[in-house]
Amino acid sequence: MDFRNNRLTVSEAKEMDMVRFLSDLGHEPSKIRNNDYWYLSPLRDEKTPSFKVNRKLNRWYDHGLGKGGNLVDFAILYHGCTVAELLQNLSGNFSLQKPVNRQPLQESEPENRIKILGDFVLSSYALLRYLEQRRIPIDIADRYCREVRYELNEKVYYGIGFKNDLGGFEIRNPYFKASSSPKGITTFDNSANEVVVFEGFTDFLSFRAVHKHEPEDRFDFVVLNSVSFFETARLFMEKHNTISLYLDRDTTGQNCSRYALSLSSKYKDESSLYQNHKDFNDWVVNIGKPQKKNHKQKLR
């Protein structure tokens, strides 16, 4: 479609082929899988492709930034321009500079050398007290978690361990949050028609506590353990009729939810349930607590 003879509207700009637009900018896909075109991110420096364009939907998502959207959303980030300047450029009436302020390549930090020494039934007072503070019943935690002893920097520690499908652990204690290799998602397949999706395992445990009187096989579950594993989880999630998302209410979580909604009508964003809280567990912890009042006097 040739838009350059007339002044473009925003709607017309959004219809432009994202893959062709990126090619015109000098960016070619590193790999193509069905409708998904994977690139080294044009918005930052990286070594592993994590920028994806779904050509069928004509939408992009940058997993490293936790951002996505349509062509206009991308172009104003890429060029650092206004929508009006972008439309002028696409109409051939204005010349944009190459992008500035690309995020520098982050050197990989040395991986925490966490060595799992063993896993046991939850028993340490500090960990049980931590679960109590998070309002997670011990009997629920016992069903899904283990107390892990692990070595880090030649010292031995313990924490609540939540195992992923690859055999690694997400580890929490009152002072520390980490994971052991290999990292991955955690799935629970009860052959249900609906799958419920969380970012972290404390949200999952809180959900199980809230729904403790319901049949255990009513839902299947996915704990992403990081939104960066969303694509990994899609194969399991999308075999269900309904995919209920209980992701965090921060920018990364909400961007991921919006991206999911753009993929299929199967996805449902349920985070409005805890819209005034950072995540499901935070909502559960604060149920019944009075909301903080704003004591600042209004200007007249």
Side-chain angles (χ1 to χ4, degrees):
M1 186 181 295
D2 185 4
F3 293 105
R4 290 187 176 270
N5 294 329
N6 300 297
R7 178 64 183 267
L8 281 176
T9 65
V10 173
S11 296
E12 289 171 333
K14 290 178 180 179
E15 293 176 13
M16 295 176 66
D17 182 19
M18 187 78 191
V19 170
R20 181 178 174 183
F21 182 75
L22 287 169
S23 182
D24 289 341
L25 294 173
H27 301 285
E28 301 296 338
S30 298
K31 60 182 177 181
I32 301 173
R33 292 181 178 172
N34 298 321
N35 291 313
D36 294 335
Y37 287 62
W38 290 89
Y39 298 80
L40 292 170
S41 176
L43 299 174
R44 55 195 172 80
D45 293 320
E46 65 176 358
K47 294 179 180 179
T48 303
S50 65
F51 182 98
K52 188 184 75 170
V53 174
N54 183 290
R55 199 164 197 182
K56 182 178 180 181
L57 299 172
N58 204 32
R59 293 291 186 270
W60 62 277
Y61 189 79
D62 189 318
H63 289 270
L65 292 179
K67 293 181 179 180
N70 56 53
L71 184 143
V72 172
D73 298 322
F74 167 79
I76 60 178
L77 280 175
Y78 183 85
H79 289 291
C81 65
T82 66
V83 174
E85 289 172 339
L86 174 65
L87 295 179
Q88 280 187 289
N89 173 259
L90 295 176
S91 302
N93 302 320
F94 189 73
S95 179
L96 294 174
Q97 299 294 318
K98 285 291 288 180
V100 294
N101 297 327
R102 295 181 77 190
Q103 295 192 6
L105 178 68
Q106 297 292 325
E107 291 295 332
S108 297
E109 295 181 7
E111 183 179 341
N112 286 334
R113 301 295 181 183
I114 292 178
K115 180 181 178 181
I116 302 297
L117 302 177
D119 61 278
F120 317 91
V121 174
L122 290 164
S123 60
S124 298
Y125 173 80
L127 299 183
L128 298 178
R129 174 62 176 161
Y130 174 69
L131 289 168
E132 181 182 325
Q133 291 170 341
R134 305 311 303 171
R135 291 198 177 183
I136 296 172
I138 303 303
D139 62 321
I140 297 290
D142 274 336
R143 289 165 61 184
Y144 300 102
C145 301
R146 300 284 285 173
E147 182 168 319
V148 295
R149 295 287 195 277
Y150 61 95
E151 184 179 290
L152 175 64
N153 298 327
E154 300 182 349
K155 293 184 179 180
V156 176
Y157 302 92
Y158 59 95
I160 300 165
F162 181 76
K163 206 167 192 176
N164 64 45
D165 292 353
L166 300 178
F169 281 96
E170 296 298 310
I171 303 170
R172 302 288 184 275
N173 66 37
Y175 314 105
F176 189 66
K177 176 179 178 180
S179 56
S180 67
S181 296
K183 276 189 67 70
I185 65 172
T186 305
T187 58
F188 298 94
D189 191 347
N190 299 310
S191 300
N193 292 321
E194 180 178 354
V195 61
V196 185
V197 184
F198 304 93
E199 279 190 47
F201 75 85
T202 56
D203 297 324
F204 163 68
L205 296 177
S206 293
F207 184 91
R208 294 296 293 129
V210 169
H211 295 270
K212 62 183 177 181
H213 297 302
E214 297 192 9
E216 188 168 349
D217 61 356
R218 178 181 173 185
F219 305 108
D220 286 351
F221 296 98
V222 174
V223 182
L224 297 175
N225 296 318
S226 169
V227 290
S228 64
F229 290 117
F230 178 83
E231 291 296 329
T232 303
R234 280 183 62 184
L235 183 64
F236 180 81
M237 293 189 296
E238 292 177 6
K239 72 178 184 179
H240 296 82
N241 296 333
T242 303
I243 308 166
S244 298
L245 302 173
Y246 289 83
L247 304 186
D248 292 359
R249 293 288 298 181
D250 59 13
T251 300
T252 301
Q254 292 302 285
N255 281 339
C256 186
S257 293
R258 281 191 289 271
Y259 169 65
L261 296 179
S262 76
L263 295 173
S264 169
S265 60
K266 289 183 175 184
Y267 288 95
K268 311 295 180 185
D269 182 6
E270 304 291 351
S271 67
S272 60
L273 173 67
Y274 45 94
Q275 60 183 341
N276 297 320
H277 301 274
K278 65 180 182 179
D279 55 35
F280 191 92
N281 177 254
D282 184 56
W283 173 66
V284 169
V285 168
N286 289 283
I287 286 176
K289 292 184 179 180
Q291 294 289 320
K292 292 182 179 180
K293 296 182 179 180
N294 185 356
H295 296 290
K296 292 184 179 179
Q297 187 175 3
K298 294 182 178 180
L299 295 175
R300 296 180 180 273

